Amino acid sequence: MKKICISVGVLLSLFRAGYGQSTTQPAYEKRKLKVEEINLVSSYYQQDGNNSAVTGGIGTEKLTDFAQSFDLVLKTTDQRNRQHTIAFDFNIDHYTSASSDNIDPLTVSSASRSDTHIYPSLSWSVHNDNNRTTKGLAFSYSTEYDYKSYGFNLNFAKASADNNREVSLKAGAFFDTWKAILPPELRPDGYGSGAHGDRDPIDYKPRNSYNLSVSLSQVINKRMQLLFTVEPSFQQGLLSTPFHRIYFQDGGETVEKLPGTRLKLPVSFRLHYFMGDRVVVRTFYRYYIDDWGMQAHTANLEVPVKLTSFISVSPFYRFSHQTAVRYFAPYEQHKQTEKYYTSDYDISGFNSQFVGIGFRTAPPGGLFGIGHWQSVELRFGHYTRTTGMVANSVTLLAKIK
Amino acid sequence: MNKNPFLKTLGLTVCISLLSLTGCTTVKEYQKSRINDAEMELSARKSEKFEQNFYLYREGAAGANGGKSGGGCGCN
């Protein structure tokens, strides 16, 4: 009883002190921009198959990709007590691709057999606790040998009074430019190879993408929450790849030709459930349809198991089924009379499976005694496609807080 | 009856969304220890970032998964 009295007394004196402070000093205390989080992600990906679109649906698809990502999140609070978040994300991929090497097999003159893809982005958002809204914008850039892209995004979210529901809207536009590298045997006279030092002209073609995302998240009960997302997108411009070859039934050869517009409609559903004290069930399903005739179903299940309070293991499985676009046919199956044609197996009909496991550790005092190094995560995955393509990936994530 | 598959898909999504809201209970902030767990976050993991990129390039279906939705050709 004595302890309770002392506790109540201390609490009252704190309230009193707090009240007194609020009348003599402004509630706002200027806060500096501070580092909230840094994520470092490294990934190695390797694939092989025998249906490369560069060689008309036959030939090696061997590719290796080494990717690095660095993202930095900064936060501050303004005079109206709104929380500002600035995020900078820098990504770099270096890949070697046997199929790209076959664009021009005699000389290394085009996208060649290796390239570096750099794609930074910068975003800013402001969250207002009073009206439970978040507004933000982002800019992104992407560059590789034959491709450049500028992206702009706006987003808005509003949460319910009890913070159990949130509706969010995102709108984005990407303005891309292709350097139209053609296979050497199909280049018109005087058309450049695209190689450094080649002064012959080469075409540049636009590809623009616009997307709108509407999401609804809802807390169902103390252990379950879900998220619905609808994200229609529209693309226009050069949607075919200029160095993908097509071989016709009669032996003729040309490059891939696809419609100049594409409307996509993916709808997804994510449900997460905390089972008991140690197991989380993460489920995801997406239905996809587009106006090129493709429909797809994708399901993902991941079950993180907390072995201790700071070590977890997460086995995962993903299954996807897609139908072919109506313009697809394998090597030497297209007819010259067709309006559009592709032998790209990425948009053919197939089933794919991705299975793997992740390990995560987040010790209370930080990793290796470094207090700010909050966690490390390692993921392995094996991907198979019914077209015969196989891939493996390994990812390492380090989080600093 | 409208046979447009895009409108049917959108209509079905709206119906499922509205139905899902009817079975919810109000959860107070102090009851959200499980909901606020890092593993319960309603988005893809940071470590899935590059996996989502290769899905985008190696499969025809894309979007609505919190991953990259445009920019970059993915043509290799």
Side-chain angles (χ1 to χ4, degrees):
Chain A
M1 190 62 200
K2 197 174 172 183
K3 281 182 184 172
I4 292 171
C5 290
I6 292 168
S7 302
V8 171
V10 170
L11 275 172
L12 283 172
S13 63
L14 280 173
F15 281 134
R16 217 179 133 77
Y19 181 76
Q21 201 171 27
S22 69
T23 53
T24 54
Q25 291 178 3
Y28 165 71
E29 185 186 338
K30 188 169 182 177
R31 290 176 205 170
K32 285 182 184 170
L33 198 62
K34 65 168 191 175
V35 176
E36 176 75 9
E37 182 178 304
I38 297 171
N39 291 288
L40 299 162
V41 190
S42 293
S43 169
Y44 177 76
Y45 169 83
Q46 163 270 323
Q47 71 169 48
D48 204 358
N50 202 26
N51 295 112
S52 171
V54 173
T55 38
I58 56 167
T60 180
E61 291 175 272
K62 196 167 187 176
L63 181 147
T64 58
D65 181 74
F66 186 57
Q68 295 287 322
S69 166
F70 166 86
D71 82 68
L72 169 69
V73 181
L74 302 163
K75 285 199 172 173
T76 188
T77 306
D78 69 13
Q79 293 182 359
R80 290 161 65 184
N81 227 23
R82 297 176 305 183
Q83 194 177 58
H84 294 255
T85 304
I86 296 167
F88 173 68
D89 194 3
F90 182 81
N91 307 277
I92 182 163
D93 290 6
H94 182 75
Y95 63 81
T96 59
S97 164
S99 64
S100 293
D101 201 24
N102 286 328
I103 294 170
D104 190 346
L106 299 177
T107 57
V108 182
S109 66
S110 54
S112 93
R113 65 188 182 88
S114 70
D115 196 7
T116 302
H117 177 204
I118 299 169
Y119 47 112
S121 70
L122 183 66
S123 66
W124 166 75
S125 69
V126 55
H127 175 74
N128 189 336
D129 259 340
N130 295 330
N131 57 14
R132 304 174 306 282
T133 60
T134 307
K135 295 169 195 166
L137 54 91
F139 169 72
S140 62
Y141 173 69
S142 171
T143 179
E144 51 197 302
Y145 188 89
D146 56 344
Y147 205 90
K148 282 201 172 16
S149 172
Y150 297 89
F152 303 91
N153 274 279
L154 293 171
N155 60 74
F156 173 80
K158 181 157 178 79
S160 61
D162 59 5
N163 273 322
N164 284 329
R165 185 179 305 142
E166 186 175 83
V167 176
S168 68
L169 301 169
K170 285 180 195 163
F174 294 90
F175 303 100
D176 304 358
T177 306
W178 274 99
K179 186 193 244 183
I181 294 166
L182 298 172
E185 71 275 20
L186 297 170
R187 286 176 201 152
D189 286 342
Y191 191 87
S193 64
H196 291 302
D198 184 348
R199 294 187 179 181
D200 284 336
I202 189 165
D203 286 345
Y204 287 82
K205 304 277 187 184
R207 174 191 283 182
N208 300 332
S209 309
Y210 309 94
N211 60 295
L212 178 73
S213 167
V214 183
S215 296
L216 169 70
S217 69
Q218 174 71 49
V219 175
I220 304 290
N221 58 40
K222 285 185 268 186
R223 290 174 176 271
M224 189 188 289
Q225 58 183 342
L226 59 80
L227 174 74
F228 281 110
T229 304
V230 184
E231 190 175 359
S233 70
F234 177 74
Q235 287 186 300
Q236 64 177 25
L238 180 66
L239 304 186
S240 54
T241 303
F243 49 78
H244 282 177
R245 290 176 174 88
I246 299 295
Y247 295 97
F248 292 109
Q249 284 178 351
D250 62 8
E253 183 191 350
T254 188
V255 291
E256 182 179 80
K257 190 177 175 195
L258 289 165
T261 62
R262 190 178 185 186
L263 180 63
K264 305 174 179 181
L265 180 62
V267 175
S268 74
F269 173 79
R270 190 182 282 277
L271 182 88
H272 292 178
Y273 178 63
F274 204 120
M275 195 161 70
D277 292 328
R278 292 174 180 269
V279 180
V280 177
V281 180
R282 293 166 59 96
T283 63
F284 174 81
Y285 169 76
R286 178 181 66 196
Y287 173 70
Y288 169 93
I289 186 169
D290 69 29
D291 63 353
W292 287 7
M294 179 179 281
Q295 288 190 53
H297 300 273
T298 305
N300 195 81
L301 174 68
E302 182 165 357
V303 186
V305 179
K306 294 172 188 288
L307 300 178
T308 68
S309 55
F310 56 88
I311 296 176
S312 65
V313 178
S314 306
F316 60 86
Y317 176 73
R318 178 184 184 273
F319 176 82
S320 187
H321 165 78
Q322 69 179 47
T323 60
V325 298
R326 63 177 70 95
Y327 317 112
F328 174 82
Y331 178 72
E332 287 190 338
Q333 297 296 308
H334 278 294
K335 293 175 189 162
Q336 298 256 14
T337 51
E338 291 168 22
K339 191 176 178 186
Y340 300 112
Y341 23 77
T342 178
S343 295
D344 182 354
Y345 275 71
D346 294 344
I347 48 175
S348 69
F350 59 77
N351 293 337
S352 71
Q353 297 185 76
F354 188 53
V355 62
I357 193 162
F359 302 92
R360 181 174 178 270
T361 180
L367 272 135
F368 307 115
I370 304 167
H372 289 294
W373 189 356
Q374 195 209 32
S375 66
V376 67
E377 195 174 328
L378 187 62
R379 267 171 87 86
F380 300 95
H382 177 68
Y383 181 81
T384 54
R385 224 164 67 169
T386 48
T387 59
M389 199 201 91
V390 293
N392 293 289
S393 79
V394 55
T395 305
L396 181 69
L397 163 74
K399 187 186 283 281
I400 297 157
K401 265 195 134 160
Chain B
M1 188 172 167
N2 198 325
K3 301 246 177 183
N4 186 324
F6 288 91
L7 291 178
K8 273 166 74 175
T9 306
L10 274 176
L12 196 63
T13 308
V14 171
C15 290
I16 293 172
S17 308
L18 292 174
L19 277 173
S20 71
L21 302 182
T22 59
C24 308
T25 55
T26 300
V27 181
K28 306 279 185 199
E29 287 304 316
Y30 63 85
Q31 296 175 312
K32 289 185 179 171
S33 61
R34 299 280 199 275
I35 292 293
N36 291 335
D37 188 277
E39 300 285 7
M40 287 288 284
E41 198 174 328
L42 282 171
S43 61
R45 297 165 177 280
K46 292 257 185 198
S47 56
E48 287 180 73
K49 181 179 198 172
F50 293 115
E51 290 169 13
Q52 290 189 321
N53 285 1
F54 92 70
Y55 302 148
L56 179 70
Y57 300 147
R58 292 288 79 93
E59 296 177 357
N65 62 349
K68 198 175 168 183
S69 55
C73 69
C75 44
N76 294 292

PDB file of all heavy atoms in Angstrom, chain A residues 78-94:
ATOM      1  N   ASP A  78       8.385  18.795 -37.232  1.00  0.00           N
ATOM      2  CA  ASP A  78       8.346  20.239 -37.468  1.00  0.00           C
ATOM      3  C   ASP A  78       7.584  20.973 -36.356  1.00  0.00           C
ATOM      4  O   ASP A  78       7.153  20.356 -35.365  1.00  0.00           O
ATOM      5  CB  ASP A  78       7.786  20.548 -38.862  1.00  0.00           C
ATOM      6  CG  ASP A  78       6.303  20.219 -38.977  1.00  0.00           C
ATOM      7  OD1 ASP A  78       5.653  19.983 -37.942  1.00  0.00           O
ATOM      8  OD2 ASP A  78       5.795  20.193 -40.108  1.00  0.00           O
ATOM      9  N   GLN A  79       7.406  22.290 -36.534  1.00  0.00           N
ATOM     10  CA  GLN A  79       6.779  23.120 -35.498  1.00  0.00           C
ATOM     11  C   GLN A  79       5.333  22.729 -35.212  1.00  0.00           C
ATOM     12  O   GLN A  79       4.821  22.964 -34.141  1.00  0.00           O
ATOM     13  CB  GLN A  79       6.816  24.581 -35.934  1.00  0.00           C
ATOM     14  CG  GLN A  79       8.239  25.107 -35.968  1.00  0.00           C
ATOM     15  CD  GLN A  79       8.308  26.561 -36.336  1.00  0.00           C
ATOM     16  OE1 GLN A  79       7.300  27.196 -36.589  1.00  0.00           O
ATOM     17  NE2 GLN A  79       9.497  27.100 -36.365  1.00  0.00           N
ATOM     18  N   ARG A  80       4.670  22.132 -36.223  1.00  0.00           N
ATOM     19  CA  ARG A  80       3.277  21.710 -36.017  1.00  0.00           C
ATOM     20  C   ARG A  80       3.198  20.240 -35.602  1.00  0.00           C
ATOM     21  O   ARG A  80       2.162  19.602 -35.739  1.00  0.00           O
ATOM     22  CB  ARG A  80       2.481  21.964 -37.298  1.00  0.00           C
ATOM     23  CG  ARG A  80       2.289  23.467 -37.550  1.00  0.00           C
ATOM     24  CD  ARG A  80       1.924  23.765 -38.970  1.00  0.00           C
ATOM     25  NE  ARG A  80       0.639  23.208 -39.332  1.00  0.00           N
ATOM     26  CZ  ARG A  80       0.125  23.277 -40.562  1.00  0.00           C
ATOM     27  NH1 ARG A  80       0.792  23.879 -41.517  1.00  0.00           N
ATOM     28  NH2 ARG A  80      -1.049  22.744 -40.812  1.00  0.00           N
ATOM     29  N   ASN A  81       4.337  19.726 -35.144  1.00  0.00           N
ATOM     30  CA  ASN A  81       4.421  18.356 -34.628  1.00  0.00           C
ATOM     31  C   ASN A  81       4.153  17.288 -35.675  1.00  0.00           C
ATOM     32  O   ASN A  81       3.698  16.190 -35.357  1.00  0.00           O
ATOM     33  CB  ASN A  81       3.465  18.182 -33.440  1.00  0.00           C
ATOM     34  CG  ASN A  81       4.182  17.495 -32.300  1.00  0.00           C
ATOM     35  OD1 ASN A  81       5.422  17.547 -32.215  1.00  0.00           O
ATOM     36  ND2 ASN A  81       3.427  16.848 -31.449  1.00  0.00           N
ATOM     37  N   ARG A  82       4.409  17.645 -36.935  1.00  0.00           N
ATOM     38  CA  ARG A  82       4.241  16.658 -38.000  1.00  0.00           C
ATOM     39  C   ARG A  82       5.581  15.952 -38.202  1.00  0.00           C
ATOM     40  O   ARG A  82       6.628  16.587 -38.123  1.00  0.00           O
ATOM     41  CB  ARG A  82       3.805  17.334 -39.299  1.00  0.00           C
ATOM     42  CG  ARG A  82       2.446  18.005 -39.192  1.00  0.00           C
ATOM     43  CD  ARG A  82       2.110  18.734 -40.456  1.00  0.00           C
ATOM     44  NE  ARG A  82       3.159  19.688 -40.828  1.00  0.00           N
ATOM     45  CZ  ARG A  82       3.090  20.508 -41.864  1.00  0.00           C
ATOM     46  NH1 ARG A  82       2.036  20.502 -42.635  1.00  0.00           N
ATOM     47  NH2 ARG A  82       4.081  21.339 -42.135  1.00  0.00           N
ATOM     48  N   GLN A  83       5.493  14.674 -38.493  1.00  0.00           N
ATOM     49  CA  GLN A  83       6.724  13.904 -38.651  1.00  0.00           C
ATOM     50  C   GLN A  83       7.111  13.825 -40.131  1.00  0.00           C
ATOM     51  O   GLN A  83       6.324  13.370 -40.962  1.00  0.00           O
ATOM     52  CB  GLN A  83       6.494  12.499 -38.105  1.00  0.00           C
ATOM     53  CG  GLN A  83       7.770  11.728 -37.918  1.00  0.00           C
ATOM     54  CD  GLN A  83       7.506  10.372 -37.298  1.00  0.00           C
ATOM     55  OE1 GLN A  83       6.754   9.561 -37.840  1.00  0.00           O
ATOM     56  NE2 GLN A  83       8.097  10.130 -36.157  1.00  0.00           N
ATOM     57  N   HIS A  84       8.318  14.280 -40.432  1.00  0.00           N
ATOM     58  CA  HIS A  84       8.811  14.252 -41.813  1.00  0.00           C
ATOM     59  C   HIS A  84       9.796  13.095 -41.973  1.00  0.00           C
ATOM     60  O   HIS A  84      10.676  12.907 -41.126  1.00  0.00           O
ATOM     61  CB  HIS A  84       9.523  15.558 -42.152  1.00  0.00           C
ATOM     62  CG  HIS A  84       8.611  16.741 -42.157  1.00  0.00           C
ATOM     63  ND1 HIS A  84       8.180  17.343 -43.314  1.00  0.00           N
ATOM     64  CD2 HIS A  84       8.025  17.412 -41.136  1.00  0.00           C
ATOM     65  CE1 HIS A  84       7.372  18.341 -43.011  1.00  0.00           C
ATOM     66  NE2 HIS A  84       7.264  18.407 -41.683  1.00  0.00           N
ATOM     67  N   THR A  85       9.654  12.364 -43.063  1.00  0.00           N
ATOM     68  CA  THR A  85      10.561  11.254 -43.346  1.00  0.00           C
ATOM     69  C   THR A  85      11.190  11.473 -44.719  1.00  0.00           C
ATOM     70  O   THR A  85      10.479  11.710 -45.700  1.00  0.00           O
ATOM     71  CB  THR A  85       9.798   9.911 -43.347  1.00  0.00           C
ATOM     72  OG1 THR A  85       9.130   9.774 -42.098  1.00  0.00           O
ATOM     73  CG2 THR A  85      10.730   8.741 -43.555  1.00  0.00           C
ATOM     74  N   ILE A  86      12.489  11.415 -44.764  1.00  0.00           N
ATOM     75  CA  ILE A  86      13.210  11.515 -46.037  1.00  0.00           C
ATOM     76  C   ILE A  86      13.951  10.200 -46.229  1.00  0.00           C
ATOM     77  O   ILE A  86      14.668   9.743 -45.331  1.00  0.00           O
ATOM     78  CB  ILE A  86      14.198  12.696 -46.023  1.00  0.00           C
ATOM     79  CG1 ILE A  86      13.419  14.005 -45.891  1.00  0.00           C
ATOM     80  CG2 ILE A  86      15.054  12.719 -47.295  1.00  0.00           C
ATOM     81  CD1 ILE A  86      14.282  15.195 -45.554  1.00  0.00           C
ATOM     82  N   ALA A  87      13.735   9.585 -47.381  1.00  0.00           N
ATOM     83  CA  ALA A  87      14.394   8.300 -47.641  1.00  0.00           C
ATOM     84  C   ALA A  87      15.200   8.373 -48.928  1.00  0.00           C
ATOM     85  O   ALA A  87      14.702   8.847 -49.953  1.00  0.00           O
ATOM     86  CB  ALA A  87      13.357   7.185 -47.734  1.00  0.00           C
ATOM     87  N   PHE A  88      16.429   7.939 -48.841  1.00  0.00           N
ATOM     88  CA  PHE A  88      17.290   7.886 -50.019  1.00  0.00           C
ATOM     89  C   PHE A  88      17.661   6.438 -50.255  1.00  0.00           C
ATOM     90  O   PHE A  88      18.070   5.726 -49.339  1.00  0.00           O
ATOM     91  CB  PHE A  88      18.546   8.729 -49.785  1.00  0.00           C
ATOM     92  CG  PHE A  88      19.552   8.601 -50.889  1.00  0.00           C
ATOM     93  CD1 PHE A  88      19.273   9.115 -52.142  1.00  0.00           C
ATOM     94  CD2 PHE A  88      20.758   7.944 -50.693  1.00  0.00           C
ATOM     95  CE1 PHE A  88      20.185   8.980 -53.186  1.00  0.00           C
ATOM     96  CE2 PHE A  88      21.676   7.805 -51.723  1.00  0.00           C
ATOM     97  CZ  PHE A  88      21.382   8.334 -52.977  1.00  0.00           C
ATOM     98  N   ASP A  89      17.476   5.999 -51.477  1.00  0.00           N
ATOM     99  CA  ASP A  89      17.693   4.598 -51.816  1.00  0.00           C
ATOM    100  C   ASP A  89      18.624   4.543 -53.025  1.00  0.00           C
ATOM    101  O   ASP A  89      18.322   5.133 -54.062  1.00  0.00           O
ATOM    102  CB  ASP A  89      16.316   3.992 -52.162  1.00  0.00           C
ATOM    103  CG  ASP A  89      16.330   2.488 -52.215  1.00  0.00           C
ATOM    104  OD1 ASP A  89      17.377   1.908 -51.941  1.00  0.00           O
ATOM    105  OD2 ASP A  89      15.276   1.910 -52.553  1.00  0.00           O
ATOM    106  N   PHE A  90      19.744   3.867 -52.891  1.00  0.00           N
ATOM    107  CA  PHE A  90      20.685   3.757 -54.010  1.00  0.00           C
ATOM    108  C   PHE A  90      20.916   2.282 -54.310  1.00  0.00           C
ATOM    109  O   PHE A  90      21.269   1.500 -53.424  1.00  0.00           O
ATOM    110  CB  PHE A  90      22.017   4.432 -53.655  1.00  0.00           C
ATOM    111  CG  PHE A  90      23.007   4.397 -54.782  1.00  0.00           C
ATOM    112  CD1 PHE A  90      22.922   5.329 -55.807  1.00  0.00           C
ATOM    113  CD2 PHE A  90      23.993   3.430 -54.837  1.00  0.00           C
ATOM    114  CE1 PHE A  90      23.817   5.292 -56.874  1.00  0.00           C
ATOM    115  CE2 PHE A  90      24.887   3.379 -55.896  1.00  0.00           C
ATOM    116  CZ  PHE A  90      24.803   4.326 -56.914  1.00  0.00           C
ATOM    117  N   ASN A  91      20.694   1.899 -55.563  1.00  0.00           N
ATOM    118  CA  ASN A  91      20.819   0.497 -55.958  1.00  0.00           C
ATOM    119  C   ASN A  91      21.738   0.372 -57.160  1.00  0.00           C
ATOM    120  O   ASN A  91      21.691   1.206 -58.066  1.00  0.00           O
ATOM    121  CB  ASN A  91      19.451  -0.067 -56.367  1.00  0.00           C
ATOM    122  CG  ASN A  91      18.403   0.148 -55.317  1.00  0.00           C
ATOM    123  OD1 ASN A  91      18.303  -0.617 -54.375  1.00  0.00           O
ATOM    124  ND2 ASN A  91      17.629   1.216 -55.447  1.00  0.00           N
ATOM    125  N   ILE A  92      22.525  -0.669 -57.157  1.00  0.00           N
ATOM    126  CA  ILE A  92      23.389  -0.918 -58.308  1.00  0.00           C
ATOM    127  C   ILE A  92      23.432  -2.425 -58.573  1.00  0.00           C
ATOM    128  O   ILE A  92      23.596  -3.222 -57.645  1.00  0.00           O
ATOM    129  CB  ILE A  92      24.790  -0.294 -58.086  1.00  0.00           C
ATOM    130  CG1 ILE A  92      25.682  -0.499 -59.298  1.00  0.00           C
ATOM    131  CG2 ILE A  92      25.476  -0.805 -56.832  1.00  0.00           C
ATOM    132  CD1 ILE A  92      26.905   0.428 -59.308  1.00  0.00           C
ATOM    133  N   ASP A  93      23.193  -2.801 -59.829  1.00  0.00           N
ATOM    134  CA  ASP A  93      23.246  -4.214 -60.245  1.00  0.00           C
ATOM    135  C   ASP A  93      24.352  -4.347 -61.279  1.00  0.00           C
ATOM    136  O   ASP A  93      24.427  -3.530 -62.195  1.00  0.00           O
ATOM    137  CB  ASP A  93      21.979  -4.628 -61.027  1.00  0.00           C
ATOM    138  CG  ASP A  93      20.735  -4.699 -60.203  1.00  0.00           C
ATOM    139  OD1 ASP A  93      20.792  -4.325 -59.033  1.00  0.00           O
ATOM    140  OD2 ASP A  93      19.714  -5.126 -60.754  1.00  0.00           O
ATOM    141  N   HIS A  94      25.130  -5.375 -61.155  1.00  0.00           N
ATOM    142  CA  HIS A  94      26.070  -5.678 -62.231  1.00  0.00           C
ATOM    143  C   HIS A  94      25.741  -7.070 -62.727  1.00  0.00           C
ATOM    144  O   HIS A  94      25.731  -8.023 -61.952  1.00  0.00           O
ATOM    145  CB  HIS A  94      27.521  -5.610 -61.736  1.00  0.00           C
ATOM    146  CG  HIS A  94      28.490  -5.880 -62.842  1.00  0.00           C
ATOM    147  ND1 HIS A  94      28.769  -4.942 -63.813  1.00  0.00           N
ATOM    148  CD2 HIS A  94      29.189  -6.983 -63.174  1.00  0.00           C
ATOM    149  CE1 HIS A  94      29.614  -5.465 -64.677  1.00  0.00           C
ATOM    150  NE2 HIS A  94      29.881  -6.703 -64.319  1.00  0.00           N
TER     151      HIS A  94
END
